């Protein structure tokens, strides 16, 4: 790989997903793929190559090598940390975030901080309501938590009555699981 820069990409996700991704990226070759700027003359000799390395969730990132880019899929761990008070998941996520803060030159793709705001449908709704644009508006919604339902039943009933049918009901956590994609449509 003379004359080209090799970027090391650490991939941190479930082992089965790492293997599928490496297969697609490398087409069965060694875990190194080349990229060029698109110029036909350069197509023969790409300027950049990528070396892919699977990372372990169980080990601190600083003990797994040096990286230019880290591709994370932290959804499961962030959900466990945020919504299930899982101490182990919290420690893992905090370890990743601490590592990325100490290594700002590393390009992090899908860091936990970016995932947090899209996992919580309530936060997404709040963000959309805060945007003032004539062509964008948040849908009318009512957020109902299991513990809130018993205490604030009459308030929710009033808010629900203001919605127009059909009404779509989805789980509060949008974590990519089968359950988070399920919905109920009331007509």
């Amino acid at each position: 790989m003379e004359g080209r820069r090799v970027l090391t990409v650490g991939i941190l996700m479930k082992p089965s997903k790492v293997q599928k991704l490496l297969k697609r990226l490398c087409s069965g070759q060694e875990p190194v793929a080349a990229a060029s700027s698109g110029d036909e003359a350069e197509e023969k000799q790409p300027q950049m190559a990528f070396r892919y390395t699977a990372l372990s969730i169980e080990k601190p990132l600083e003990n797994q090598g040096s990286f230019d880019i880290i591709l994370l899929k932290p959804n499961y761990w962030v959900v466990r940390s945020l919504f299930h008070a899982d101490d182990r998941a919290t420690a893992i996520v905090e370890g990743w975030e601490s590592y990325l803060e100490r290594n700002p030159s590393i390009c992090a793709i899908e860091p936990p901080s970016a995932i947090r705001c899209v996992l919580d449908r309530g936060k997404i709704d709040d963000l959309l309501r805060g945007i003032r644009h004539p062509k964008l508006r948040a849908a009318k919604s009512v957020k109902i938590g299991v513990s809130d339902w018993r205490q604030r039943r009459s308030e929710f009933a009033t808010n629900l009555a203001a919605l127009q049918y059909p009404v779509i009901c989805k789980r509060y956590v949008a974590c990519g699981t089968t359950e988070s994609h399920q919905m109920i449509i009331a007509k």
Side-chain angles (χ1 to χ4, degrees):
M1 287 196 223
E2 281 182 45
R4 39 180 166 159
R5 182 169 179 219
V6 178
L7 296 176
T8 302
V9 181
I11 302 173
L12 187 61
M13 57 181 71
K14 291 179 183 177
S16 60
K17 288 189 176 193
V18 170
Q19 294 310 315
K20 285 180 188 176
L21 181 62
L22 286 175
K23 233 181 208 178
R24 287 177 39 206
L25 290 171
C26 302
S27 302
Q29 302 167 14
E30 288 297 309
V32 175
S36 71
S37 65
D39 185 354
E40 284 183 36
E42 293 176 18
E43 286 294 328
K44 294 175 185 166
Q45 186 63 39
Q47 295 177 342
M48 193 177 305
F50 297 92
R51 176 170 285 114
Y52 299 98
T53 303
L55 302 176
S56 170
I57 291 167
E58 304 300 326
K59 298 177 187 172
L61 292 175
E62 45 271 304
N63 297 345
Q64 297 187 60
S66 175
F67 305 98
D68 300 295
I69 301 167
I70 294 182
L71 171 61
L72 296 111
K73 281 294 195 180
N75 300 26
Y76 172 80
W77 299 100
V78 173
V79 167
R80 299 290 314 160
S81 174
L82 287 176
F83 301 104
H84 300 283
D86 183 325
D87 293 337
R88 180 171 175 257
T90 299
I92 289 170
V93 171
E94 287 174 353
W96 294 338
E97 290 180 314
S98 176
Y99 175 82
L100 293 171
E101 285 173 15
R102 290 189 314 275
N103 297 279
S105 63
I106 294 175
C107 174
I109 300 172
E110 289 195 40
S113 58
I115 298 300
R116 271 190 201 93
C117 67
V118 296
L119 287 177
D120 186 328
R121 293 189 204 278
K123 285 184 181 178
I124 295 170
D125 187 54
D126 293 342
L127 286 170
L128 289 173
R129 289 182 190 289
I131 297 172
R132 300 289 178 234
H133 190 278
K135 293 186 178 184
L136 178 68
R137 69 177 179 84
K140 290 182 182 179
S141 63
V142 177
K143 300 171 200 163
I144 302 173
V146 175
S147 60
D148 294 339
W149 176 253
R150 291 180 182 86
Q151 298 164 356
R152 300 171 47 204
R153 188 175 287 184
S154 62
E155 177 188 340
F156 287 135
T158 303
N159 291 335
L160 288 168
L163 297 177
Q164 294 179 338
Y165 290 97
V167 173
I168 298 173
C169 303
K170 293 195 79 149
R171 290 177 184 261
Y172 199 75
V173 180
C175 61
T177 63
T178 301
E179 293 82 15
S180 71
H181 291 294
Q182 294 173 343
M183 67 177 113
I184 297 170
I185 300 175
K187 297 180 183 184

